Amino acid sequence: MTTIDLSADTFEETVNKEGIVLVDCWAAWCGPCRQFSPIFEAASEKHADITFGKLDTESEPELAADLEITSIPTVFGFRDGVLLFAQPGALPAEALEEVISQIRGIDMAEVHAEIARQEAENSTQG
């Protein structure tokens, strides 16, 4: 699968869908972003079951601000609409593969149960 371009209009829908979604936040002027791009693209070809999205922070400055991106590239990893990974800096191919492996290995039933517990606690405290 190739990468898809994300925008403010498509970001929420994309990251909230079922399955794994990786997002590369980048800008054309960024050297490390240009170095990371082929690594991200290669991973997208290798993992057809994962959605790989690219967010141009120059084209979408408001979305980048909402995501609190302070350094690029920044990689986000979502699964079933839950943010599980966020890290600035260009990842080597091996590190990206490790992130993918870790996200695949997470027990999402446990994650959703913990989110529900936290939301319940917050509602009783509020």
Side-chain angles (χ1 to χ4, degrees):
M1 174 181 273
T2 58
T3 59
I4 58 172
D5 291 326
L6 297 176
S7 67
D9 294 334
T10 61
F11 185 83
E12 288 294 323
E13 177 184 340
T14 302
V15 301
N16 285 318
K17 69 188 221 173
E18 192 172 309
I20 299 172
V21 179
L22 295 178
V23 179
D24 172 22
C25 302
W26 66 283
W29 52 264
C30 167
C33 297
R34 289 194 303 272
Q35 290 174 328
F36 179 63
S37 185
I39 293 168
F40 195 74
E41 189 70 38
S44 77
E45 297 294 332
K46 185 175 177 182
H47 300 281
D49 61 318
I50 296 175
T51 300
F52 287 79
K54 294 184 72 69
L55 175 66
D56 182 348
T57 59
E58 292 293 298
S59 297
E60 299 290 341
E62 291 170 6
L63 181 53
D66 289 347
L67 293 170
E68 299 179 5
I69 296 170
T70 58
S71 180
I72 52 174
T74 292
V75 177
F76 289 102
F78 297 85
R79 183 164 164 201
D80 300 340
V82 178
L83 176 63
L84 300 172
F85 178 83
Q87 180 176 312
L91 297 171
E94 303 80 30
L96 183 58
E97 288 297 322
E98 181 61 26
V99 167
I100 291 169
S101 177
Q102 288 179 3
I103 291 173
R104 283 190 198 280
I106 290 174
D107 181 343
M108 290 308 291
E110 199 174 286
V111 170
H112 288 294
E114 179 60 28
I115 290 169
R117 268 193 300 278
Q118 289 177 7
E119 288 174 350
E121 283 179 20
N122 291 342
S123 68
T124 59
Q125 293 174 2

